[in-house]
Amino acid sequence: MYTAVVLSQASQTKLLNALKQVIPADWKIICHHMTINMGNAQSGPAKELLGQNVQLRAISLGKSDKAMAVTVDTNIPSANAIKHITLAVNIKNGGKPMMSNQITDWHPMSPIDLDGVVQECN
């Protein structure tokens, strides 16, 4: 279980439409959420935000040989050192969503305003 800002369908579509040209065709699309913490909301920094609609702004794009993500500017707390949304992973190369935490090559991009709901996910 984890607690996250789960993107609205409109925000998922908006983000993918803006960046689909840079995502390799054979990578698995994720584009689902920004992790707040592992475990339930009560064990994390955003327990009072559960169920609330919140705003995020994608501001930079990062990629490694295993994962691609966007960093987000938001006042929502996160246990991750870099607040991000995993866009896609390179399954053939062993990529997993958590590997977005290891991306070090980030480049500014035109900001994309997004929204989502703070939820507990399984």
Side-chain angles (χ1 to χ4, degrees), residues 42-56:
Q42 294 304 315
S43 66
K47 57 187 169 197
E48 70 285 350
L49 299 175
L50 194 61
Q52 289 187 27
N53 191 31
V54 297
Q55 305 302 305
L56 308 168

Side-chain angles (χ1 to χ4, degrees), residues 2 26 28 32 62 69 103 113 120:
Y2 60 95
D26 60 342
K28 180 181 178 184
H32 179 257
I103 295 172
D113 291 324
E120 293 175 335

Side-chain angles (χ1 to χ4, degrees), residues 74-95:
T74 182
N75 60 357
I76 306 302
S78 175
N80 289 328
I82 297 174
K83 297 176 186 181
H84 68 274
I85 298 165
T86 300
L87 293 176
V89 293
N90 184 351
I91 299 287
K92 291 179 184 174
N93 198 24

Side-chain angles (χ1 to χ4, degrees), residues 15 34-36 48-49 52 55 58 67 71 73 75 81 90 98 116 122:
L15 190 56
M34 180 199 85
T35 302
I36 295 172
E48 70 285 350
L49 299 175
Q52 289 187 27
Q55 305 302 305
T71 63
D73 181 25
N75 60 357
N90 184 351
M98 65 169 231
N122 289 316

